[in-house]
Coordinates of all heavy atoms in Angstrom, one line a residue:
M276 N 45.0 108.1 82.2 CA 45.3 109.3 83.0 C 44.2 109.4 84.1 O 43.0 109.2 83.8 CB 45.2 110.5 82.1 CG 45.2 111.8 82.8 SD 45.4 113.2 81.7 CE 44.1 113.1 80.6
R277 N 44.7 109.6 85.3 CA 43.7 109.7 86.4 C 43.9 111.1 87.1 O 45.0 111.5 87.3 CB 44.0 108.6 87.4 CG 43.0 108.6 88.5 CD 43.3 107.5 89.5 NE 43.2 106.2 88.9 CZ 43.4 105.0 89.6 NH1 43.7 105.1 90.8 NH2 43.2 103.9 88.9
V278 N 42.8 111.7 87.3 CA 42.8 113.1 88.0 C 42.2 113.0 89.3 O 41.1 112.4 89.5 CB 42.1 114.1 87.1 CG1 41.9 115.4 87.8 CG2 42.8 114.3 85.8
V279 N 42.8 113.6 90.3 CA 42.2 113.7 91.6 C 42.3 115.1 92.1 O 43.3 115.7 92.0 CB 43.0 112.8 92.7 CG1 42.4 112.9 94.0 CG2 42.9 111.3 92.2
V280 N 41.2 115.6 92.6 CA 41.2 117.0 93.1 C 41.0 116.9 94.6 O 40.1 116.2 95.1 CB 40.1 117.9 92.5 CG1 40.1 119.2 93.2 CG2 40.3 118.0 91.0
D281 N 41.9 117.5 95.4 CA 41.8 117.6 96.8 C 40.7 118.6 97.1 O 41.0 119.8 97.1 CB 43.1 117.9 97.5 CG 43.0 118.0 99.0 OD1 41.9 118.0 99.5 OD2 44.1 118.0 99.6
L282 N 39.5 118.2 97.4 CA 38.4 119.1 97.5 C 38.5 119.9 98.8 O 37.8 120.9 99.0 CB 37.0 118.4 97.4 CG 36.8 117.8 96.0 CD1 35.5 117.0 96.0 CD2 36.7 118.9 94.9
N283 N 39.3 119.4 99.8 CA 39.5 120.2 101.0 C 40.4 121.4 100.7 O 40.3 122.4 101.4 CB 40.1 119.3 102.1 CG 39.2 118.2 102.6 OD1 38.0 118.5 102.8 ND2 39.7 117.0 102.8
R284 N 41.2 121.2 99.7 CA 42.1 122.3 99.4 C 41.5 123.3 98.4 O 41.8 124.5 98.4 CB 43.4 121.6 98.8 CG 44.6 122.5 98.7 CD 45.7 121.7 98.1 NE 46.5 121.1 99.1 CZ 47.8 121.2 99.2 NH1 48.5 121.9 98.3 NH2 48.5 120.6 100.1
C285 N 40.7 122.7 97.5 CA 40.1 123.5 96.4 C 39.3 124.7 96.9 O 38.5 124.5 97.8 CB 39.2 122.6 95.5 SG 38.2 123.5 94.3
Q286 N 39.6 125.8 96.4 CA 38.8 127.1 96.8 C 37.9 127.6 95.8 O 37.4 128.7 95.9 CB 39.9 128.2 97.2 CG 40.8 127.8 98.3 CD 40.2 127.6 99.6 OE1 39.3 128.5 100.0 NE2 40.5 126.6 100.3
G287 N 37.6 126.8 94.8 CA 36.7 127.1 93.7 C 37.1 128.3 92.9 O 36.2 129.1 92.4
Y288 N 38.4 128.5 92.7 CA 38.8 129.6 91.8 C 38.5 129.4 90.4 O 38.6 130.4 89.6 CB 40.4 129.8 92.0 CG 40.8 130.2 93.3 CD1 41.7 129.5 94.1 CD2 40.3 131.4 93.8 CE1 42.1 129.9 95.4 CE2 40.7 131.9 95.1 CZ 41.6 131.1 95.8 OH 42.0 131.5 97.1
A289 N 38.2 128.2 90.0 CA 37.7 127.9 88.6 C 38.7 128.1 87.5 O 38.4 128.1 86.3 CB 36.5 128.7 88.3
Q290 N 40.0 128.2 87.9 CA 41.0 128.2 86.8 C 41.0 126.9 86.0 O 41.1 127.0 84.8 CB 42.4 128.4 87.5 CG 42.6 129.6 88.3 CD 42.6 130.9 87.4 OE1 43.0 130.8 86.3 NE2 42.0 131.9 87.9
C291 N 40.8 125.8 86.7 CA 40.8 124.5 86.0 C 39.6 124.5 85.0 O 39.8 124.0 83.9 CB 40.7 123.4 87.0 SG 39.3 123.5 88.2
A292 N 38.4 124.9 85.4 CA 37.2 124.9 84.6 C 37.4 125.8 83.4 O 36.9 125.5 82.3 CB 36.0 125.3 85.4
F293 N 38.2 126.8 83.5 CA 38.5 127.7 82.4 C 39.4 127.1 81.4 O 39.3 127.2 80.2 CB 39.0 129.1 83.0 CG 39.3 130.1 81.9 CD1 38.3 130.7 81.2 CD2 40.7 130.4 81.6 CE1 38.7 131.6 80.2 CE2 41.0 131.3 80.7 CZ 40.0 131.9 79.9
L294 N 40.5 126.4 81.9 CA 41.5 125.9 81.1 C 41.2 124.5 80.5 O 41.7 124.1 79.5 CB 42.8 125.9 81.9 CG 43.4 127.3 82.2 CD1 44.5 127.1 83.3 CD2 44.0 127.9 80.9
A295 N 40.4 123.7 81.3 CA 40.1 122.4 80.8 C 38.6 122.2 81.0 O 38.2 121.3 81.8 CB 40.9 121.4 81.6
P296 N 37.8 122.8 80.3 CA 36.3 122.8 80.5 C 35.7 121.4 80.2 O 34.6 121.1 80.7 CB 35.7 123.8 79.5 CG 36.8 124.1 78.5 CD 38.1 123.8 79.2
D297 N 36.4 120.6 79.5 CA 35.9 119.2 79.2 C 36.1 118.3 80.4 O 35.5 117.2 80.5 CB 36.6 118.6 78.0 CG 36.2 119.3 76.7 OD1 35.0 119.5 76.5 OD2 37.1 119.7 76.0
V298 N 37.0 118.7 81.3 CA 37.3 117.9 82.5 C 36.8 118.4 83.8 O 36.3 117.7 84.6 CB 38.8 117.7 82.6 CG1 39.2 116.8 83.7 CG2 39.4 117.1 81.3
F299 N 36.8 119.7 83.9 CA 36.4 120.4 85.2 C 35.2 121.3 85.0 O 35.2 122.0 83.9 CB 37.6 121.2 85.8 CG 38.8 120.4 86.0 CD1 39.8 120.4 85.1 CD2 39.0 119.7 87.2 CE1 41.0 119.7 85.3 CE2 40.2 119.0 87.4 CZ 41.2 119.0 86.4
E300 N 34.3 121.3 85.9 CA 33.1 122.1 85.8 C 32.7 122.6 87.2 O 32.7 121.9 88.1 CB 32.0 121.2 85.2 CG 30.9 122.0 84.6 CD 29.8 121.0 84.1 OE1 30.2 119.9 83.8 OE2 28.7 121.4 84.0
I301 N 32.4 123.9 87.2 CA 32.0 124.5 88.5 C 30.5 124.5 88.5 O 29.8 125.0 87.6 CB 32.5 125.9 88.7 CG1 34.1 125.9 88.7 CG2 32.0 126.6 89.9 CD1 34.7 125.4 90.0
H302 N 29.9 124.0 89.6 CA 28.5 124.0 89.8 C 28.1 124.8 91.0 O 28.7 124.6 92.0 CB 27.9 122.6 89.9 CG 27.5 122.0 88.7 ND1 26.2 121.7 88.4 CD2 28.2 121.6 87.6 CE1 26.1 121.2 87.1 NE2 27.3 121.1 86.7
G303 N 27.3 125.8 90.8 CA 26.8 126.6 91.9 C 28.0 127.5 92.4 O 28.8 128.0 91.6
E304 N 28.0 127.8 93.6 CA 29.0 128.7 94.2 C 30.4 128.2 94.1 O 31.3 128.8 93.5 CB 28.6 129.0 95.7 CG 27.4 129.8 95.9 CD 27.6 131.2 95.5 OE1 28.5 131.9 96.1 OE2 26.8 131.7 94.7
E305 N 30.7 127.0 94.7 CA 32.0 126.5 94.8 C 32.2 125.0 94.5 O 33.2 124.5 94.6 CB 32.6 126.8 96.2 CG 32.9 128.2 96.4 CD 33.7 128.4 97.7 OE1 33.8 127.4 98.5 OE2 34.0 129.5 98.0
A306 N 31.1 124.4 94.1 CA 31.1 122.9 93.9 C 31.8 122.6 92.6 O 31.4 123.0 91.5 CB 29.7 122.3 93.9
L307 N 32.9 121.8 92.7 CA 33.7 121.4 91.5 C 33.3 120.0 91.2 O 33.4 119.1 92.0 CB 35.2 121.5 91.8 CG 36.1 121.1 90.7 CD1 36.0 122.0 89.5 CD2 37.5 120.9 91.2
L308 N 33.0 119.8 89.9 CA 32.8 118.5 89.4 C 33.9 118.2 88.4 O 34.3 119.1 87.7 CB 31.4 118.4 88.6 CG 30.2 118.6 89.4 CD1 28.9 118.5 88.6 CD2 30.1 117.7 90.6
Y309 N 34.4 117.0 88.3 CA 35.4 116.7 87.4 C 35.4 115.2 87.0 O 34.8 114.4 87.7 CB 36.8 117.0 88.0 CG 37.2 116.2 89.1 CD1 38.1 115.1 89.0 CD2 36.7 116.5 90.4 CE1 38.4 114.4 90.1 CE2 37.1 115.7 91.5 CZ 38.0 114.7 91.3 OH 38.3 113.9 92.4
K310 N 36.0 115.0 85.8 CA 36.1 113.6 85.3 C 37.4 113.0 85.9 O 38.5 113.4 85.6 CB 36.1 113.6 83.8 CG 34.9 114.1 83.2 CD 34.9 113.8 81.7 CE 33.6 114.2 81.0 NZ 33.6 115.5 80.4
P311 N 37.2 111.9 86.7 CA 38.4 111.4 87.3 C 39.3 110.6 86.3 O 40.5 110.4 86.6 CB 37.9 110.4 88.4 CG 36.4 110.2 88.1 CD 36.0 111.4 87.2
R312 N 38.7 110.2 85.2 CA 39.5 109.5 84.2 C 39.3 110.1 82.8 O 38.7 109.5 82.0 CB 39.1 108.0 84.2 CG 39.7 107.2 85.4 CD 39.7 105.7 85.0 NE 40.5 105.0 86.0 CZ 41.8 104.7 85.8 NH1 42.4 105.1 84.7 NH2 42.5 104.1 86.7
P313 N 39.8 111.3 82.6 CA 39.6 111.9 81.4 C 40.3 111.3 80.2 O 41.3 110.6 80.4 CB 40.1 113.4 81.6 CG 41.0 113.2 82.7 CD 40.6 112.1 83.6
D314 N 39.9 111.5 79.0 CA 40.5 111.0 77.8 C 41.9 111.6 77.7 O 42.1 112.8 78.0 CB 39.6 111.4 76.6 CG 40.0 110.6 75.4 OD1 41.0 111.0 74.7 OD2 39.3 109.7 75.0
E315 N 42.8 110.8 77.1 CA 44.2 111.3 76.9 C 44.3 112.5 76.1 O 45.2 113.3 76.1 CB 45.0 110.2 76.3 CG 45.5 109.1 77.3 CD 46.5 109.6 78.3 OE1 47.3 110.5 77.9 OE2 46.4 109.2 79.4
A316 N 43.3 112.7 75.2 CA 43.2 113.9 74.3 C 43.2 115.2 75.1 O 43.6 116.2 74.6 CB 42.0 113.8 73.4
W317 N 42.8 115.1 76.3 CA 42.7 116.3 77.1 C 43.9 116.5 78.1 O 43.9 117.4 78.9 CB 41.4 116.3 78.0 CG 40.2 116.4 77.1 CD1 40.0 117.1 76.0 CD2 39.0 115.7 77.4 NE1 38.7 116.9 75.5 CE2 38.1 116.0 76.3 CE3 38.6 114.8 78.4 CZ2 36.8 115.5 76.3 CZ3 37.3 114.3 78.3 CH2 36.4 114.6 77.3
R318 N 44.9 115.7 77.9 CA 46.1 115.8 78.8 C 46.7 117.2 78.9 O 47.0 117.7 80.0 CB 47.2 114.8 78.4 CG 48.4 114.8 79.3 CD 49.4 113.7 78.9 NE 49.0 112.4 79.3 CZ 49.2 111.9 80.5 NH1 49.8 112.6 81.5 NH2 48.8 110.7 80.8
D319 N 46.9 117.8 77.7 CA 47.5 119.1 77.7 C 46.7 120.1 78.5 O 47.2 120.9 79.3 CB 47.7 119.7 76.3 CG 48.8 118.9 75.5 OD1 49.5 118.1 76.2 OD2 49.0 119.1 74.3
D320 N 45.4 120.1 78.3 CA 44.5 121.0 79.1 C 44.6 120.7 80.6 O 44.6 121.6 81.4 CB 43.0 120.8 78.6 CG 42.8 121.4 77.3 OD1 43.7 122.0 76.7 OD2 41.6 121.2 76.7
V321 N 44.6 119.4 80.9 CA 44.7 119.1 82.3 C 46.0 119.5 83.0 O 46.0 120.1 84.1 CB 44.5 117.5 82.5 CG1 44.8 117.1 84.0 CG2 43.1 117.1 82.1
V322 N 47.1 119.4 82.2 CA 48.4 119.8 82.7 C 48.4 121.3 82.9 O 48.9 121.8 83.9 CB 49.5 119.4 81.7 CG1 50.8 120.1 82.1 CG2 49.7 117.9 81.7
R323 N 47.7 122.1 82.0 CA 47.6 123.5 82.2 C 46.8 123.8 83.5 O 47.1 124.7 84.2 CB 46.9 124.2 81.0 CG 47.9 124.4 79.9 CD 47.2 125.2 78.8 NE 47.8 124.8 77.5 CZ 47.2 124.0 76.6 NH1 45.9 123.7 76.7 NH2 47.8 123.7 75.5
A324 N 45.7 123.1 83.7 CA 44.9 123.3 84.9 C 45.7 123.0 86.2 O 45.6 123.8 87.1 CB 43.6 122.4 84.8
V325 N 46.4 121.9 86.1 CA 47.3 121.5 87.3 C 48.2 122.7 87.6 O 48.4 123.1 88.8 CB 48.1 120.2 87.0 CG1 49.1 120.0 88.1 CG2 47.1 119.1 86.9
T326 N 48.8 123.2 86.6 CA 49.8 124.3 86.8 C 49.1 125.6 87.2 O 49.7 126.3 88.0 CB 50.5 124.6 85.4 OG1 51.1 123.3 85.0 CG2 51.7 125.6 85.6
A327 N 47.9 125.8 86.8 CA 47.3 127.1 87.1 C 46.5 127.1 88.4 O 46.3 128.2 88.9 CB 46.3 127.4 85.9
C328 N 46.2 126.0 89.0 CA 45.5 126.0 90.2 C 46.3 126.7 91.3 O 47.4 126.3 91.6 CB 45.2 124.5 90.6 SG 44.3 124.5 92.2
P329 N 45.7 127.7 91.9 CA 46.4 128.6 92.8 C 46.8 127.9 94.1 O 47.7 128.3 94.9 CB 45.5 129.8 93.1 CG 44.4 129.6 92.1 CD 44.3 128.2 91.6
V330 N 46.1 126.8 94.4 CA 46.3 126.1 95.7 C 46.8 124.6 95.5 O 46.8 123.8 96.4 CB 45.0 126.0 96.6 CG1 44.7 127.4 97.0 CG2 43.8 125.4 95.8
Q331 N 47.3 124.3 94.2 CA 47.8 123.0 93.9 C 46.9 121.9 94.4 O 47.3 120.9 95.0 CB 49.2 122.8 94.5 CG 50.3 123.7 93.8 CD 50.4 125.0 94.4 OE1 50.5 125.1 95.6 NE2 50.5 126.1 93.6
A332 N 45.6 122.0 94.1 CA 44.6 121.0 94.5 C 44.5 119.9 93.6 O 43.9 118.8 93.9 CB 43.3 121.7 94.8
I333 N 45.0 120.0 92.3 CA 44.8 119.0 91.3 C 46.0 118.1 91.2 O 47.1 118.6 91.1 CB 44.5 119.6 89.9 CG1 43.4 120.7 90.0 CG2 44.1 118.5 88.9 CD1 43.3 121.5 88.8
L334 N 45.8 116.8 91.3 CA 46.8 115.8 91.2 C 46.6 115.0 89.9 O 45.5 114.5 89.6 CB 46.8 114.8 92.4 CG 47.0 115.5 93.7 CD1 46.9 114.4 94.8 CD2 48.4 116.2 93.8
L335 N 47.6 114.9 89.1 CA 47.5 114.2 87.9 C 48.4 112.9 88.1 O 49.6 113.0 88.2 CB 48.1 115.0 86.7 CG 48.2 114.3 85.3 CD1 46.8 113.7 84.9 CD2 48.7 115.3 84.3
D336 N 47.7 111.8 88.1 CA 48.4 110.5 88.3 C 49.0 110.0 87.0 O 48.2 109.7 86.1 CB 47.4 109.5 88.9 CG 48.0 108.2 89.2 OD1 49.2 108.1 89.1 OD2 47.3 107.3 89.7
R337 N 50.3 109.8 87.0 CA 50.9 109.2 85.8 C 51.4 107.8 86.1 O 52.4 107.4 85.6 CB 52.1 110.1 85.4 CG 51.6 111.5 85.1 CD 52.7 112.4 84.6 NE 52.2 113.7 84.4 CZ 52.9 114.7 83.9 NH1 54.1 114.5 83.5 NH2 52.4 115.9 83.8
S338 N 50.6 107.1 86.9 CA 51.0 105.8 87.4 C 51.1 104.8 86.2 O 51.9 103.8 86.2 CB 50.1 105.2 88.4 OG 48.8 105.2 87.9
D339 N 50.4 105.1 85.1 CA 50.5 104.2 83.9 C 51.9 104.1 83.5 O 52.5 103.0 83.3 CB 49.7 104.8 82.8 CG 48.2 104.9 83.1 OD1 47.8 104.3 84.2 OD2 47.4 105.4 82.3
E340 N 52.6 105.3 83.4 CA 54.0 105.3 82.9 C 54.9 104.7 84.0 O 55.8 103.9 83.7 CB 54.4 106.7 82.6 CG 53.7 107.2 81.4 CD 52.9 108.5 81.7 OE1 53.6 109.5 82.1 OE2 51.7 108.6 81.5
A341 N 54.6 105.0 85.3 CA 55.4 104.6 86.4 C 55.4 103.0 86.5 O 56.4 102.4 86.7 CB 54.9 105.2 87.7
V342 N 54.2 102.5 86.3 CA 54.1 101.0 86.3 C 54.9 100.4 85.2 O 55.6 99.4 85.5 CB 52.6 100.6 86.2 CG1 52.5 99.1 85.9 CG2 51.8 101.0 87.5
T343 N 54.9 101.0 84.1 CA 55.6 100.4 83.0 C 57.1 100.4 83.3 O 57.8 99.5 83.1 CB 55.4 101.3 81.7 OG1 54.0 101.3 81.5 CG2 56.1 100.6 80.5
A344 N 57.6 101.6 83.9 CA 59.0 101.7 84.2 C 59.4 100.7 85.3 O 60.4 100.0 85.3 CB 59.3 103.1 84.7
G345 N 58.5 100.5 86.3 CA 58.7 99.5 87.4 C 58.8 98.1 86.9 O 59.7 97.4 87.2
E346 N 57.9 97.8 86.0 CA 57.9 96.4 85.4 C 59.2 96.2 84.6 O 59.8 95.1 84.7 CB 56.7 96.3 84.4 CG 55.4 96.0 85.2 CD 54.2 96.1 84.2 OE1 54.4 96.4 83.1 OE2 53.1 95.8 84.7
A347 N 59.7 97.2 84.0 CA 60.9 97.1 83.2 C 62.1 96.8 84.1 O 63.0 96.0 83.8 CB 61.2 98.4 82.4
S348 N 62.2 97.5 85.3 CA 63.3 97.3 86.2 C 63.2 96.0 86.9 O 64.2 95.4 87.3 CB 63.4 98.5 87.2 OG 62.2 98.5 88.0
D349 N 62.0 95.5 87.1 CA 61.8 94.2 87.7 C 62.2 93.0 86.8 O 62.6 92.0 87.3 CB 60.4 94.0 88.2 CG 60.0 94.8 89.4 OD1 61.0 95.2 90.0 OD2 58.9 95.0 89.7
A350 N 62.1 93.2 85.6 CA 62.4 92.1 84.6 C 63.9 92.0 84.3 O 64.4 92.3 83.2 CB 61.6 92.4 83.3
R351 N 64.6 91.6 85.3 CA 66.1 91.5 85.2 C 66.5 90.1 84.6 O 65.9 89.1 84.9 CB 66.8 91.7 86.5 CG 67.0 93.2 86.8 CD 67.6 93.4 88.1 NE 66.6 94.0 89.0 CZ 66.7 94.1 90.3 NH1 67.7 93.6 90.9 NH2 65.8 94.7 91.0
Ligands
SF4_596 S1 41.7 125.8 90.0 FE1 42.1 124.7 91.8 S2 41.1 125.8 93.4 FE2 40.2 126.5 91.5 S3 38.4 125.2 91.2 FE3 40.1 124.2 90.2 S4 40.9 122.8 91.7 FE4 39.7 124.3 92.8

C-alpha cells in the first residue's frame, strides 16, 4: 500500500492523524509527517483518514491490485 499526501492541498486539519495515528502525525503548527508505505495492517485506518480528510489531500495507491488485474488481462 502506498500513501501520498498532496501537501499543497493539505490544510493541517489533522483528521488523518486522529484516525490513523500510526501513519500520519502532525508536527508543529501544520507540518504533516506520514509513512508513504504503511503496513497493510493499517489499511482500514488509512481508508478512514482518506474519507475524513476535508480537502481530499490523501491518495491511497492500490496499484498492487491494479497491476495484478492488468497482468491477468495481458495473459491471453
Ligand atoms: S486530514 Fe487532510 S488536510 Fe488534515 S492534515 Fe490530514 S491530509 Fe492534511
Side-chain angles (χ1 to χ4, degrees):
M276 165 170 61
R277 186 179 296 181
V278 172
V279 177
V280 177
D281 183 346
L282 295 174
N283 291 320
R284 194 180 270 233
C285 170
Q286 299 296 313
Y288 291 121
Q290 298 294 327
C291 54
F293 179 70
L294 291 165
D297 291 310
V298 179
F299 304 96
E300 198 178 337
I301 297 287
H302 267 249
E304 291 286 304
E305 287 186 357
L307 176 68
L308 299 179
Y309 65 99
K310 294 188 173 97
R312 286 200 166 267
D314 194 281
E315 280 295 325
W317 295 322
R318 179 177 286 275
D319 288 352
D320 286 356
V321 171
V322 168
R323 277 187 213 108
V325 168
T326 306
C328 177
V330 293
Q331 289 88 47
I333 308 169
L334 301 174
L335 175 57
D336 182 2
R337 299 182 185 187
S338 60
D339 296 354
E340 294 123 56
V342 168
T343 305
E346 283 171 353
S348 64
D349 284 345
R351 276 177 249 165

